[in-house]
Amino acid sequence: MPKSWTDDATTPVVLQDHAHLKDSFFYTLKRRILGNPLNRHTLGHQRLAKRYALGILSSDCISSSAYGSEQILIALLPAFGLAAFAILMPMTAVVLIILLIITLSYRNVINVYTKTGGAYIVSRDNFGPVVAQIAAVALMLDYIVTVAIQSAAGVAAIISTFPSLHPWKIPMILFVIAFLTYGNLRGVKEAGKAFALPTYFFISCMFIVFGIGIYRHFAGTLETLSTDQVGAVPLGEGHGLLTFAAIFILLRAFANGGSSLTGLEAISDGVALFQQPEHVNARRTLFVMSGLLGSLVLGVSWFAHRIHAMPYETGTPTVISQIAKTIVGDGVFGQTMFVLVQLATMLILFAGANTTYSAFPLLCNFVATDGYLPRQLTKRGHRLAFSNGILLLSGGGIFLVLFTAGSVEHLVAFYALGVFTGFTLAGFGMVRHALRHKEGQWKAKVFINGLSGAVSSLVVIIFSVVKFTEGAWLVLVTAPILVITFLRLRRQYDREQEALSVKRHQERATSIARHDVTILVDSVDIATVGAIRYARSLKPRNLTAVHFVIDDRRAEDIQKAWAKSDALEDVTLELIDCPDRRLANSALDYAIRQTEKEEVELTLLLPRRSYSRFLGRLLHDQTAEEIAAPISQLPRVVATIIPFDVARITSGATLEVHHPHEEKKVVKQSAPTPKTNAPINVEPVSHYAENVTKIGEIQWRKRAQVQGRVTSIKTAPRGSAPALQVEIWDETGGVSLQFLGRRDIAGLEVGSQMRAEGMVGEDEGAMVILNPSYELLV
């Protein structure tokens, strides 16, 4: 084509909008349901002040206080009767001591891992990837259970307010999980500040209730509830605490109470969300969160002990709802306050379930990036969320809800085992870190983290024993299977990576002295002619067509048609006998014979005619893939399938291409007109353009300053002269920036914003700016 205006070239233009295929029905449906796809360059997270981070990251942890004390009573009441209310407070004190120990341990985690420091990262860095998979499995199971138990407990709060809804319990739980799944697939941000509201709302309501309850207690007006209510957990007969059965029940009650400590790791997982200095703000938020959790657990346990709040076998009304109703009374204020408490309880439980939709996919992303889970879990979906991880989480939550009939009591059996396994590995991991580095008060760190790991491991053992028959067996059986599966997946990825890695003797690609191309022919038609045309573009030394004869009459017809075709007159047709009709074997044997000499490389072209999905499979065989599979295993042989869409031709349909710039009214480019004379420039030449010009409005041979998003970076190969070509776009068009004498620009990456200024030139009919001055924009 002409290279400049002096030889009848058209005026160069800016790059125009790309054309896109018309959306398929399923993609259109996805856009209707989930909204328009988000640009990946909008991905990022906002930095949070401590007050917002506390509300957002602590919802899972704080919400556990809504059912922890109740689960202790469920274990104690059938065995110890009314004495269970006296045992409740010492049991709560033990739980709070463990809370303090684990909080101090995670304080050390945050100090060391200032970006993200969950049990998986700590285990991987200190024990290696194999032990880390134990943490990964434990946390993944914990997150799945969290979705189920938080949703079930939130629905229980609704039913406690409106008992007539009890028959709809399971559908309501499933609806909550489906709603949270849909919201997160649409890209609901876990770090959105609105998610801080349920936490503060719940804390405020509970502290108001506690304040009123303390006042009524000292005033002597706080009533004690009857313990013989219909549907309540049956009261047992009190007996000694030192019998084996009593100790077993006490341990089971303690394991139930351990569910109050779930979610403590959320702060260490989200350190990067905090404003700078991240680890300092995260550490302070951790202490505040633990203090609030301890206060709420203590308050619920003390008032349950004080008023004799009885858990019910159906799960409703909940203990926390009975505490609120008893304290605030039945007046107008009391009824309003009761509804507010139940609303706050419901919201924080659902918010706690929602936090797992951020944590679980992110954990899966870490594990999959390390090669222990399928790599599909590292891909972001339509709205930039890890969609596959979200769907996996919701599927597991739904399974548990159906498996346990939405019972919080039964779900607790699956709960704390995974949580405390993570606490154990994080504690011992930090012990190893302190012993290896010995920085600062490392002996104190060893003691605190070792104590945390030891206590957490003791809880895991207790939980495994006392909850084994209630469902812990499922976790204990599933976890090792999953760990082994993760390790096998990694070994498979390693084998594949080793097979694809470039060996030292292969680093320098050598030229093949002889390149031959063979087209496998089944008929003489437009698909064959297209394959021949492509074969010629490869410029082979020998170009041959081969037909494997399995039907003599058909072979004769192909030979006659080949001889008559003008398009094929320069291509030799070879007929090869295939007596056993095994085309793949014959093709393999042919390829081996053709590449006996080391300097020969063979390309086999296989025209594949694509038919309609159902009738195509019914009426036609699919032999191209069967032939290509064994051929690809041979050295110096390449099998290339050339598709030809027969279905489109038979249907009369044409490929529909959608041009975005046809719909958007932007700066219109006039039709290019040939220029036969040099343009007369009567304006003074400027050496700098001060104002930013839209790319669609820049003019050839004039200076321009443009700004846009980098969509393409092309670097010259190492063996040629250094050059870098960058393509930037704004809403009106695109332009190429050419930098000669360099191969890269520090900080430049696809998607970044760039401003450039220089003289507008031309290359292949498109406007370019050669060696511009530039600025990378943040």
Side-chain angles (χ1 to χ4, degrees), residues 202-215:
F202 176 75
I203 293 172
S204 300
C205 288
M206 291 309 299
F207 281 173
I208 291 173
V209 170
F210 291 166
I212 296 173
I214 292 172
Y215 172 79

PDB file of all heavy atoms in Angstrom, residues 202-215:
ATOM      1  N   PHE A 202     -26.368  -4.506  65.981  1.00  0.00           N
ATOM      2  CA  PHE A 202     -26.516  -5.628  66.910  1.00  0.00           C
ATOM      3  C   PHE A 202     -25.859  -5.306  68.255  1.00  0.00           C
ATOM      4  O   PHE A 202     -26.455  -5.538  69.325  1.00  0.00           O
ATOM      5  CB  PHE A 202     -25.890  -6.875  66.295  1.00  0.00           C
ATOM      6  CG  PHE A 202     -25.888  -8.070  67.199  1.00  0.00           C
ATOM      7  CD1 PHE A 202     -27.054  -8.789  67.435  1.00  0.00           C
ATOM      8  CD2 PHE A 202     -24.721  -8.493  67.825  1.00  0.00           C
ATOM      9  CE1 PHE A 202     -27.058  -9.898  68.274  1.00  0.00           C
ATOM     10  CE2 PHE A 202     -24.711  -9.595  68.660  1.00  0.00           C
ATOM     11  CZ  PHE A 202     -25.884 -10.293  68.884  1.00  0.00           C
ATOM     12  N   ILE A 203     -24.635  -4.775  68.212  1.00  0.00           N
ATOM     13  CA  ILE A 203     -23.940  -4.451  69.462  1.00  0.00           C
ATOM     14  C   ILE A 203     -24.726  -3.427  70.266  1.00  0.00           C
ATOM     15  O   ILE A 203     -24.894  -3.565  71.497  1.00  0.00           O
ATOM     16  CB  ILE A 203     -22.521  -3.919  69.149  1.00  0.00           C
ATOM     17  CG1 ILE A 203     -21.662  -5.047  68.559  1.00  0.00           C
ATOM     18  CG2 ILE A 203     -21.858  -3.370  70.410  1.00  0.00           C
ATOM     19  CD1 ILE A 203     -20.323  -4.574  68.036  1.00  0.00           C
ATOM     20  N   SER A 204     -25.248  -2.407  69.595  1.00  0.00           N
ATOM     21  CA  SER A 204     -26.013  -1.365  70.294  1.00  0.00           C
ATOM     22  C   SER A 204     -27.259  -1.940  70.928  1.00  0.00           C
ATOM     23  O   SER A 204     -27.572  -1.659  72.105  1.00  0.00           O
ATOM     24  CB  SER A 204     -26.381  -0.245  69.313  1.00  0.00           C
ATOM     25  OG  SER A 204     -25.236   0.343  68.744  1.00  0.00           O
ATOM     26  N   CYS A 205     -27.999  -2.750  70.164  1.00  0.00           N
ATOM     27  CA  CYS A 205     -29.236  -3.339  70.698  1.00  0.00           C
ATOM     28  C   CYS A 205     -28.943  -4.228  71.905  1.00  0.00           C
ATOM     29  O   CYS A 205     -29.653  -4.178  72.925  1.00  0.00           O
ATOM     30  CB  CYS A 205     -29.949  -4.138  69.605  1.00  0.00           C
ATOM     31  SG  CYS A 205     -30.723  -3.124  68.332  1.00  0.00           S
ATOM     32  N   MET A 206     -27.886  -5.047  71.802  1.00  0.00           N
ATOM     33  CA  MET A 206     -27.585  -5.962  72.903  1.00  0.00           C
ATOM     34  C   MET A 206     -27.114  -5.209  74.144  1.00  0.00           C
ATOM     35  O   MET A 206     -27.493  -5.554  75.275  1.00  0.00           O
ATOM     36  CB  MET A 206     -26.528  -6.978  72.464  1.00  0.00           C
ATOM     37  CG  MET A 206     -27.008  -7.973  71.433  1.00  0.00           C
ATOM     38  SD  MET A 206     -28.549  -8.806  71.891  1.00  0.00           S
ATOM     39  CE  MET A 206     -28.068  -9.627  73.404  1.00  0.00           C
ATOM     40  N   PHE A 207     -26.315  -4.160  73.955  1.00  0.00           N
ATOM     41  CA  PHE A 207     -25.879  -3.395  75.121  1.00  0.00           C
ATOM     42  C   PHE A 207     -27.034  -2.645  75.770  1.00  0.00           C
ATOM     43  O   PHE A 207     -27.071  -2.480  76.999  1.00  0.00           O
ATOM     44  CB  PHE A 207     -24.761  -2.433  74.728  1.00  0.00           C
ATOM     45  CG  PHE A 207     -23.411  -3.097  74.605  1.00  0.00           C
ATOM     46  CD1 PHE A 207     -22.313  -2.399  74.118  1.00  0.00           C
ATOM     47  CD2 PHE A 207     -23.233  -4.425  74.984  1.00  0.00           C
ATOM     48  CE1 PHE A 207     -21.072  -3.009  74.013  1.00  0.00           C
ATOM     49  CE2 PHE A 207     -22.003  -5.036  74.888  1.00  0.00           C
ATOM     50  CZ  PHE A 207     -20.911  -4.336  74.393  1.00  0.00           C
ATOM     51  N   ILE A 208     -28.000  -2.188  74.982  1.00  0.00           N
ATOM     52  CA  ILE A 208     -29.200  -1.565  75.562  1.00  0.00           C
ATOM     53  C   ILE A 208     -29.964  -2.589  76.382  1.00  0.00           C
ATOM     54  O   ILE A 208     -30.407  -2.324  77.513  1.00  0.00           O
ATOM     55  CB  ILE A 208     -30.084  -0.972  74.449  1.00  0.00           C
ATOM     56  CG1 ILE A 208     -29.400   0.244  73.813  1.00  0.00           C
ATOM     57  CG2 ILE A 208     -31.455  -0.574  75.000  1.00  0.00           C
ATOM     58  CD1 ILE A 208     -30.133   0.773  72.585  1.00  0.00           C
ATOM     59  N   VAL A 209     -30.126  -3.804  75.810  1.00  0.00           N
ATOM     60  CA  VAL A 209     -30.829  -4.878  76.532  1.00  0.00           C
ATOM     61  C   VAL A 209     -30.073  -5.224  77.816  1.00  0.00           C
ATOM     62  O   VAL A 209     -30.688  -5.366  78.900  1.00  0.00           O
ATOM     63  CB  VAL A 209     -30.977  -6.113  75.627  1.00  0.00           C
ATOM     64  CG1 VAL A 209     -31.476  -7.316  76.438  1.00  0.00           C
ATOM     65  CG2 VAL A 209     -31.940  -5.826  74.488  1.00  0.00           C
ATOM     66  N   PHE A 210     -28.740  -5.347  77.723  1.00  0.00           N
ATOM     67  CA  PHE A 210     -27.960  -5.669  78.923  1.00  0.00           C
ATOM     68  C   PHE A 210     -28.082  -4.565  79.974  1.00  0.00           C
ATOM     69  O   PHE A 210     -28.200  -4.846  81.177  1.00  0.00           O
ATOM     70  CB  PHE A 210     -26.485  -5.857  78.553  1.00  0.00           C
ATOM     71  CG  PHE A 210     -26.204  -7.088  77.748  1.00  0.00           C
ATOM     72  CD1 PHE A 210     -24.980  -7.246  77.092  1.00  0.00           C
ATOM     73  CD2 PHE A 210     -27.152  -8.097  77.622  1.00  0.00           C
ATOM     74  CE1 PHE A 210     -24.711  -8.376  76.349  1.00  0.00           C
ATOM     75  CE2 PHE A 210     -26.897  -9.230  76.864  1.00  0.00           C
ATOM     76  CZ  PHE A 210     -25.675  -9.368  76.227  1.00  0.00           C
ATOM     77  N   GLY A 211     -28.061  -3.322  79.519  1.00  0.00           N
ATOM     78  CA  GLY A 211     -28.184  -2.203  80.465  1.00  0.00           C
ATOM     79  C   GLY A 211     -29.512  -2.233  81.195  1.00  0.00           C
ATOM     80  O   GLY A 211     -29.577  -2.069  82.432  1.00  0.00           O
ATOM     81  N   ILE A 212     -30.592  -2.451  80.434  1.00  0.00           N
ATOM     82  CA  ILE A 212     -31.920  -2.532  81.063  1.00  0.00           C
ATOM     83  C   ILE A 212     -31.980  -3.741  81.986  1.00  0.00           C
ATOM     84  O   ILE A 212     -32.543  -3.691  83.100  1.00  0.00           O
ATOM     85  CB  ILE A 212     -33.015  -2.615  79.981  1.00  0.00           C
ATOM     86  CG1 ILE A 212     -33.024  -1.334  79.142  1.00  0.00           C
ATOM     87  CG2 ILE A 212     -34.387  -2.845  80.611  1.00  0.00           C
ATOM     88  CD1 ILE A 212     -33.963  -1.394  77.952  1.00  0.00           C
ATOM     89  N   GLY A 213     -31.379  -4.867  81.555  1.00  0.00           N
ATOM     90  CA  GLY A 213     -31.406  -6.081  82.376  1.00  0.00           C
ATOM     91  C   GLY A 213     -30.656  -5.901  83.685  1.00  0.00           C
ATOM     92  O   GLY A 213     -31.121  -6.359  84.745  1.00  0.00           O
ATOM     93  N   ILE A 214     -29.502  -5.243  83.636  1.00  0.00           N
ATOM     94  CA  ILE A 214     -28.740  -5.003  84.870  1.00  0.00           C
ATOM     95  C   ILE A 214     -29.540  -4.108  85.819  1.00  0.00           C
ATOM     96  O   ILE A 214     -29.599  -4.348  87.043  1.00  0.00           O
ATOM     97  CB  ILE A 214     -27.376  -4.377  84.527  1.00  0.00           C
ATOM     98  CG1 ILE A 214     -26.505  -5.406  83.789  1.00  0.00           C
ATOM     99  CG2 ILE A 214     -26.663  -3.892  85.788  1.00  0.00           C
ATOM    100  CD1 ILE A 214     -25.216  -4.827  83.248  1.00  0.00           C
ATOM    101  N   TYR A 215     -30.180  -3.082  85.263  1.00  0.00           N
ATOM    102  CA  TYR A 215     -31.007  -2.194  86.097  1.00  0.00           C
ATOM    103  C   TYR A 215     -32.140  -2.981  86.749  1.00  0.00           C
ATOM    104  O   TYR A 215     -32.393  -2.850  87.967  1.00  0.00           O
ATOM    105  CB  TYR A 215     -31.561  -1.055  85.253  1.00  0.00           C
ATOM    106  CG  TYR A 215     -32.573  -0.211  85.981  1.00  0.00           C
ATOM    107  CD1 TYR A 215     -32.179   0.760  86.906  1.00  0.00           C
ATOM    108  CD2 TYR A 215     -33.946  -0.410  85.777  1.00  0.00           C
ATOM    109  CE1 TYR A 215     -33.117   1.521  87.590  1.00  0.00           C
ATOM    110  CE2 TYR A 215     -34.886   0.346  86.458  1.00  0.00           C
ATOM    111  CZ  TYR A 215     -34.461   1.309  87.357  1.00  0.00           C
ATOM    112  OH  TYR A 215     -35.398   2.056  88.043  1.00  0.00           O
TER     113      TYR A 215
END
